[in-house]
Amino acid sequence: MTTPPAALVNRNKKHFMGIPAPLGYVAGVGRGATGFTTRSDIGPARDANDVSDDRHAPPNKKKKKEEEEDDDEDLNDSNYDEFSGYGGSLFSKDPYDKDDEEADMIYEEIDKRMDEKRKEYREKRLKEELEKYRQERPKIQQQFSDLKRGLISVSEQEWQNIPEVGDARNRKTRNPRAERFTPLPDSVLSRNLGGESAASIDTANGLMSQIPHPTPGMLTPSGDIDLRKMGQARNTLMNVKLNQVSDSVSGQTVVDPKGYLTDLQSMIPTYGGDINDIKKARLLLKSVRETNPNHPPAWIASARLEEVTGKLQSARNLIMKGCEQNPKSEDMWLEAARLQPPETAKAVIAQAVRHIPTSVRVWIKAADLELETKGKRRVYRKALENIPNSVRLWKAAVELEDPEDARILLSRAVECCPTSVDLWLALARLETYDNARKVLNKARENIPTDRQIWTTAAKLEEAHGNIPMVVKIIDRAINSLNANGVEINREHWFEEATEAERGGSIHTCRAIIKAIIEYNVEEEDRKHTWMSDAEKCISEGAFECARAVFEHALTIFPRKKSIWLRAAHFEKNHGTRESLELLLQKAVHHCPKSEILWLMGAKSKWMASDVPAARGILSLAFQANPNSEEIWLAAVKLESENNEFERARRLLEKARAQARTPRVMMKSVKLEWCLDKLDSALRLLDEAVTFFPTFAKLWLMKGQIEEQKEELENAYNTYNNALKECPTSVPLWLSLSRLEERQKKLTKARSVLERGRLKIPRNAQLWLEAVRLEFRAGLKDIANKLMAKALQECPAEGILWAEAIFLEPRAQRKTKSIDALRKCEHDPHVLLAVSKLFWSERKLQKTREWFNRTLKIDPDFGDAWAYFYKFEKLNGNEKTQEDIKQRCLVAEPHHGEIWCSISKKIENWRLQPDEILMKVVNAIPIPI
């Protein structure tokens, strides 16, 4: 075959095909297209608009083969790595000889070996990552497993009511265009019915026959159509289809709901681990069993492994085989009984009893398998025949008996187990008084080293009124235990005393304390040790034990005032008024110079409304302490509280004559002031400041009385004279500043406070008053500047931080409160300010929490009680309000800026704490 000429073959081929493009050529630039160049084309050191020189070779030069291989190497900076160099092989143009092949094989073997070393770690890490992935993204089957399990609670009726699932195919598949039919009238059907084969339905069995029936003509109508028969045929065909999916008996669906739910239940995974781990464990345990078939833990572990994996029957078979190998192992038999159903478990335990008749655990398991008490008793009695010295079996048997039978059983038990304390004590409790004494005596003979028998004997004697024997028994107990070499432990005996008190045996408790309190205590440590014992007993609620400790300590140290005070406070908190007064009578007899003991006795009588007895105690106190300021003032208070003002004035007059002190003078002035005798009060003050010029409160009272009488000039002179004598008294500086402010002398008020800060540097109250002075004058900017200076000078003063929080705008208060808490975490003023801040933000629960926190730190802070009560009054109920009120009365607060300003007003001098609380609540504003 001849080849066509080249001119014919390449006639349509362009001349530039296969020729390299000229330098700078950009495709389509002639028709206005613009190309683009990426950084990978031109390298990092080129401008994006430059044309790459080495993309295309010169048009008139042809490269050799070696040069083309050199050009294939990409030595651009973008292909360079500092560690591995250029991306391509630098030696690709060199020949690949046998040495290169051998070197590559060696490196490949090294890589393979290193890969095997890391394989276990890599597979473990891959497994962990896969498990973590499965936990974060579980399979659909796992996500719905709990819902499938929930189907077990579906009833049969609910199962039947579940609707059928609709057709989930898309519209085109559900409704193909070829199967769309247009309904036609019956006349068209009857007119066009021809002589084709017809299908008939056998109504007996619902089967369709396809036998063709000849007709007279191809298009000749066979007559009128019976539409009623057509409807019947359609219904018959429908019945055939329904019968295929229904039960012929009940007409229900052939799907069994109960069986389906049972299948679902069986699908619950009993083990969530890897199946390979189970196989490894099986092989390991099988190896252990075969190596040492007489090792019971291996059989037990194998059975439990099968149980965990859901193969309960395999577990039972394994454990029974293990029991055959180890018939003397009680753990094996107990595990076998656990795995078996109850009836089979009884047979297993029966075999165990035959093999190990002396196993206590096996007998107890046999008794537990019995359902009736009668059967349990029978098992225990048979067990005691085999193991008569088992305390555990005797206790279990006694618990099932009636008291009379239990007593008989315990009589036999103590014979078989004479060293069991519990059995002896149980028998003593069931016996009569005389028999119980005999039983305890026998118990002491058999067990001479146990203290419980002795204490039980003491409780027995106390229960029958034989109190003198209690002390004797406890003393004998200590001596007997010492003689038998038993170590006497004070803590254990104190525990016995506490248990005796809880059981109502008070005399036994006191006898134990008396016998043991001095044991192993050094003479110089007695007071400290005994006070520690008393505190421990009080903390455990053993008040009789604590009372016994105090009584013994006071007999040894009758002149120690501190012990009397502790005992008195104990009786006040945990005793009765009669016991307190009796103790105080003894206390003042031994410590007549102790004023506080006299005052506590007088107050106790006064609180009981026995004023004459209180006066009698104070008169005796006067005889013992003739010049005692405290007793004089207590007597004055007693008379003034009972409206005996003239008697109180006479007492104060005598006190000024016999014991003139600043407090006596101050109380005298205050009584005159309260009775509205201002001139008499001023005369007393003039006399007092001459005797006690450095007592600032006298000057302060004088200035306040003069302000009350509107003698402002005299008050001004009084304050100035007072500051010469008492330049470090903050209340005097504050009173003078407020007097200047009251007279509209703002500049002088500032000057007074500045002088005060020079005299008393770093004083928070003076800084706070200066800030408030500017704020009341409407100069908020100056107030903020002063507050900043105050916080710089006094950074740890909570009263300044509390004020600074509410000087800030609402949006910045939270930040300021955080700063305040950092500086003063436990300051009650800061905590109260934070509580008010939460209140203003309507965070009610947090407000309650912070109010409680404030009062826990300082229950004497009256302002906090008032704010808390007002908060509950607006946002709480009556129960919480009453609770706060009662807590306030118990705390008896005396401090707080607003609280003191109201409680110390002279017109409120006779108000009770609850009345002061109400006045303060009405005076404080709601925080905004």
Side-chain angles (χ1 to χ4, degrees):
M1 183 177 177
T2 59
T3 57
L8 295 176
V9 175
N10 297 327
R11 184 178 55 185
N12 296 325
K13 185 177 180 180
K14 304 297 183 182
H15 69 280
F16 54 80
M17 297 298 289
I19 299 174
L23 183 66
Y25 172 74
V26 178
V29 73
R31 60 178 184 273
T34 57
F36 62 90
T37 308
T38 62
R39 183 68 65 186
S40 60
D41 294 328
I42 63 176
R46 295 180 178 275
D47 188 60
N49 297 321
D50 291 344
V51 179
S52 177
D53 294 335
D54 55 353
R55 285 191 307 166
H56 308 287
N60 55 353
K61 258 189 182 180
K62 289 189 178 181
K63 291 184 179 180
K64 297 180 181 179
K65 186 175 181 181
E66 292 81 1
E67 291 177 355
E68 288 177 1
E69 290 179 357
D70 291 342
D71 289 342
D72 289 338
E73 297 175 5
D74 187 4
L75 301 180
N76 270 337
D77 292 344
S78 60
N79 198 35
Y80 178 76
D81 183 71
E82 291 183 2
F83 178 74
S84 57
Y86 287 97
S89 175
L90 296 177
F91 306 101
S92 58
K93 60 181 180 296
D94 294 336
Y96 186 75
D97 54 11
K98 193 172 183 179
D99 292 340
D100 294 333
E101 184 179 0
E102 185 179 356
D104 287 342
M105 288 177 63
I106 292 172
Y107 278 113
E108 187 176 354
E109 288 294 329
I110 292 173
D111 290 341
K112 187 176 180 182
R113 181 70 178 274
M114 295 299 292
D115 185 63
E116 286 179 355
K117 283 187 176 180
R118 301 189 190 97
K119 183 179 180 182
E120 183 178 356
Y121 171 74
R122 186 172 65 251
E123 289 180 352
K124 182 180 177 182
R125 188 180 64 180
L126 182 63
K127 180 181 175 183
E128 291 175 355
E129 291 178 354
L130 185 61
E131 289 178 357
K132 184 178 179 182
Y133 178 80
R134 287 300 180 199
Q135 289 177 359
E136 294 177 354
R137 299 175 180 82
K139 297 180 181 179
I140 298 297
Q141 181 181 1
Q142 294 175 351
Q143 292 180 7
F144 288 96
S145 61
D146 56 338
L147 299 177
K148 286 186 176 181
R149 270 185 240 119
L151 292 176
I152 194 171
S153 60
V154 177
S155 64
E156 187 174 352
Q157 184 67 27
E158 291 174 340
W159 185 266
Q160 293 175 4
N161 292 333
I162 295 176
E164 293 295 333
V165 181
D167 196 345
R169 296 176 298 169
N170 57 29
R171 186 174 177 183
K172 181 182 283 188
T173 310
R174 288 199 307 269
N175 302 317
R177 187 175 299 275
E179 294 184 5
R180 291 182 181 175
F181 300 101
T182 302
L184 295 175
D186 296 341
S187 58
V188 175
L189 292 174
S190 60
R191 185 167 59 249
N192 291 315
L193 187 61
E196 65 270 8
S197 63
S200 62
I201 295 175
D202 185 2
T203 56
N205 55 13
L207 297 177
M208 182 182 294
S209 61
Q210 295 291 337
I211 301 173
H213 297 274
T215 50
M218 292 296 293
L219 295 175
T220 306
S222 60
D224 296 334
I225 298 298
D226 191 351
L227 297 179
R228 184 177 61 82
K229 290 183 179 180
M230 289 181 66
Q232 290 176 354
R234 184 189 62 187
N235 292 337
T236 305
L237 183 60
M238 182 69 71
N239 288 333
V240 170
K241 291 183 179 180
L242 290 175
N243 287 334
Q244 292 175 0
V245 292
S246 65
D247 187 8
S248 61
V249 178
S250 60
Q252 301 296 326
T253 175
V254 294
V255 179
D256 181 16
K258 293 182 180 178
Y260 184 68
L261 294 176
T262 306
D263 292 340
L264 287 178
Q265 178 68 14
S266 65
M267 290 169 62
I268 298 175
T270 56
Y271 180 73
D274 191 357
I275 194 68
N276 292 324
D277 295 340
I278 299 173
K279 291 180 179 178
K280 289 178 183 178
R282 279 202 187 103
L283 289 173
L284 182 61
L285 291 171
K286 183 179 179 182
S287 174
V288 175
R289 292 197 310 270
E290 292 175 352
T291 305
N292 188 3
N294 296 323
H295 187 57
W299 294 96
I300 294 173
S302 301
R304 289 187 178 174
L305 176 65
E306 300 300 333
E307 181 189 10
V308 166
T309 55
K311 298 182 178 181
L312 191 57
Q313 191 58 45
S314 300
R316 290 170 181 167
N317 296 338
L318 267 174
I319 202 68
M320 291 309 298
K321 188 176 180 181
C323 290
E324 294 174 4
Q325 295 284 340
N326 304 275
K328 298 295 182 182
S329 172
E330 63 178 14
D331 290 331
M332 292 285 292
W333 289 108
L334 291 173
E335 184 69 15
R338 186 184 69 83
L339 291 173
Q340 299 289 348
E343 293 303 322
T344 314
K346 287 184 180 180
V348 171
I349 287 294
Q351 292 182 36
V353 167
R354 284 195 293 271
H355 286 94
I356 326 170
T358 57
S359 173
V360 176
R361 293 170 61 196
V362 170
W363 283 108
I364 290 176
K365 181 65 177 178
D368 291 340
L369 290 174
E370 296 291 338
L371 300 178
E372 297 181 357
T373 307
K374 187 176 180 181
K376 291 179 184 289
R377 288 176 184 164
R378 186 172 61 250
V379 171
Y380 279 127
R381 290 184 180 181
K382 197 166 184 180
L384 290 169
E385 292 175 4
N386 290 278
I387 323 170
N389 59 350
S390 171
V391 177
R392 187 177 177 187
L393 286 176
W394 281 110
K395 287 181 179 179
V398 168
E399 287 176 357
L400 298 174
E401 301 294 340
D402 298 329
E404 187 61 30
D405 296 334
R407 185 177 60 81
I408 299 169
L409 205 59
L410 283 169
S411 301
R412 175 62 180 158
V414 294
E415 294 176 5
C416 297
C417 307
T419 58
S420 173
V421 178
D422 293 337
L423 293 178
W424 283 107
L425 296 181
L427 178 60
R429 292 189 192 99
L430 293 175
E431 290 287 0
T432 59
Y433 173 54
D434 295 329
N435 291 336
R437 296 178 70 180
K438 295 176 183 178
V439 168
L440 291 173
N441 287 331
K442 288 182 182 178
R444 284 200 295 268
E445 293 173 3
N446 286 282
I447 318 170
T449 59
D450 193 88
R451 68 179 182 276
Q452 290 186 356
I453 299 173
W454 292 96
T455 55
T456 304
K459 293 175 187 176
L460 178 67
E461 297 296 340
E462 181 181 353
H464 290 83
N466 196 358
I467 305 302
M469 276 300 294
V470 174
V471 180
K472 292 180 182 178
I473 289 172
I474 297 300
D475 291 337
R476 287 177 190 170
I478 301 294
N479 297 329
S480 174
L481 292 172
N482 273 326
N484 286 283
V486 179
E487 181 185 358
I488 305 299
N489 191 313
R490 292 180 82 251
E491 292 184 2
H492 293 168
W493 280 96
F494 265 96
E495 290 174 4
E496 287 289 338
T498 304
E499 290 297 326
E501 180 181 348
R502 289 172 183 165
S505 303
I506 304 300
H507 292 283
T508 303
C509 150
R510 298 170 73 87
I512 293 173
I513 295 295
K514 186 177 179 181
I516 202 67
I517 191 168
E518 293 191 16
Y519 207 85
N520 289 337
V521 179
E522 298 292 336
E523 186 174 353
E524 59 270 14
D525 295 335
R526 287 185 299 178
K527 179 186 172 185
H528 175 72
T529 304
W530 292 345
M531 292 302 101
S532 300
D533 292 337
E535 293 296 331
K536 184 179 179 182
C537 292
I538 293 171
S539 65
E540 293 177 356
F543 301 133
E544 287 298 330
C545 293
R547 189 172 283 114
V549 172
F550 280 125
E551 286 181 5
H552 185 79
L554 290 170
T555 57
I556 304 298
F557 304 106
R559 301 291 180 183
K560 289 288 185 180
K561 185 179 73 171
S562 60
I563 300 179
W564 286 108
L565 282 174
R566 288 196 182 193
H569 285 297
F570 167 74
E571 294 294 344
K572 181 180 178 182
N573 295 327
H574 305 290
T576 61
R577 186 174 61 84
E578 289 78 10
S579 64
L580 174 62
E581 291 175 359
L582 183 63
L583 180 74
L584 289 171
Q585 287 177 11
K586 295 178 183 178
V588 296
H589 175 71
H590 289 94
C591 304
K593 296 297 182 181
S594 177
E595 299 170 355
I596 189 169
L597 293 174
W598 289 104
L599 296 177
M600 288 179 72
K603 185 175 182 180
S604 177
K605 292 291 186 183
W606 174 46
M607 296 298 290
S609 302
D610 192 355
V611 178
R615 286 176 182 153
I617 291 174
L618 288 174
S619 65
L620 293 173
F622 277 127
Q623 295 174 10
N625 305 276
N627 293 322
S628 171
E629 176 188 273
E630 292 291 339
I631 296 175
W632 277 110
L633 296 179
V636 170
K637 184 176 181 181
L638 176 66
E639 300 300 341
S640 61
E641 290 290 338
N642 290 280
N643 298 324
E644 297 287 346
F645 300 121
E646 289 302 321
R647 184 178 293 206
R649 293 179 72 186
R650 286 197 299 271
L651 282 172
L652 284 169
E653 189 175 349
K654 289 181 182 178
R656 291 196 301 273
Q658 297 181 14
R660 178 179 291 176
T661 62
R663 285 190 66 202
V664 170
M665 298 300 295
M666 186 178 68
K667 292 294 181 181
S668 302
V669 172
K670 186 174 182 181
L671 182 61
E672 299 294 333
W673 191 4
C674 293
L675 296 176
D676 203 22
K677 297 180 179 181
L678 302 183
D679 295 332
S680 176
L682 286 174
R683 282 196 302 273
L684 285 172
L685 282 168
D686 290 335
E687 180 185 352
V689 295
T690 56
F691 283 103
F692 308 105
T694 57
F695 193 69
K697 287 187 178 181
L698 295 173
W699 291 103
L700 197 61
M701 292 175 74
K702 186 181 179 189
Q704 289 173 353
I705 291 174
E706 288 169 345
E707 283 191 58
Q708 184 177 341
K709 294 180 69 176
E710 294 296 331
E711 298 175 359
L712 301 183
E713 190 63 31
N714 293 336
Y716 179 77
N717 295 330
T718 298
Y719 289 140
N720 280 316
N721 293 331
L723 288 172
K724 292 176 184 177
E725 299 290 343
C726 312
T728 59
S729 173
V730 175
L732 285 174
W733 289 105
L734 296 179
S735 297
L736 181 58
S737 170
R738 288 166 186 166
L739 179 62
E740 297 287 5
E741 184 184 6
R742 180 180 173 186
Q743 295 176 341
K744 309 296 184 184
K745 299 176 181 178
L746 192 60
T747 306
K748 283 192 174 183
R750 289 196 192 107
S751 175
V752 168
L753 291 174
E754 287 178 5
R755 283 164 48 206
R757 293 200 297 274
L758 290 174
K759 294 284 185 183
I760 317 169
R762 300 183 182 280
N763 186 272
Q765 291 183 345
L766 292 174
W767 277 108
L768 181 63
E769 184 63 24
V771 171
R772 288 178 176 173
L773 176 67
E774 303 297 342
F775 194 80
R776 287 193 294 266
L779 305 173
K780 294 184 179 180
D781 293 338
I782 299 177
N784 287 325
K785 291 178 182 177
L786 276 175
M787 179 58 74
K789 290 181 181 178
L791 291 175
Q792 286 180 354
E793 189 169 337
C794 310
E797 291 292 343
I799 192 170
L800 290 175
W801 282 104
E803 188 76 16
I805 289 173
F806 285 93
L807 282 178
E808 296 289 334
R810 179 181 288 272
Q812 300 175 9
R813 288 179 183 175
K814 188 173 181 180
T815 306
K816 200 71 172 181
S817 66
I818 294 172
D819 295 338
L821 287 171
R822 285 176 184 162
K823 294 288 185 179
C824 316
E825 185 179 359
H826 301 294
D827 190 280
H829 295 90
V830 173
L831 297 179
L832 177 61
V834 174
S835 306
K836 290 157 61 178
L837 180 62
F838 283 128
W839 186 1
S840 65
E841 294 175 354
R842 301 298 298 166
K843 297 178 179 178
L844 304 184
Q845 188 58 36
K846 282 194 174 183
T847 305
R848 285 191 181 90
E849 293 174 3
W850 281 85
F851 272 132
N852 283 314
R853 193 177 298 181
T854 307
L855 295 172
K856 186 177 180 181
I857 287 178
D858 187 8
D860 196 46
F861 192 23
D863 292 359
W865 287 109
Y867 272 108
F868 197 8
Y869 185 82
K870 185 156 191 171
F871 170 77
E872 292 295 346
K873 196 173 179 182
L874 296 174
N875 302 288
N877 50 41
E878 293 182 0
K879 184 178 178 181
T880 55
Q881 294 168 22
E882 188 62 27
D883 177 58
I884 292 167
K885 188 175 180 181
Q886 293 303 320
R887 286 166 58 192
C888 177
L889 296 181
V890 171
E892 294 184 2
H894 295 92
H895 296 91
E897 186 179 2
I898 306 173
W899 184 276
C900 292
S901 67
I902 291 177
S903 63
K904 291 188 177 182
K905 279 186 178 179
I906 205 65
E907 61 267 19
N908 299 332
W909 71 288
R910 301 198 67 185
L911 292 183
Q912 298 299 319
D914 55 341
E915 297 172 329
I916 296 174
L917 176 64
M918 292 303 151
K919 281 187 170 291
V920 177
V921 167
N922 294 329
I924 58 177
I926 299 174
I928 55 173

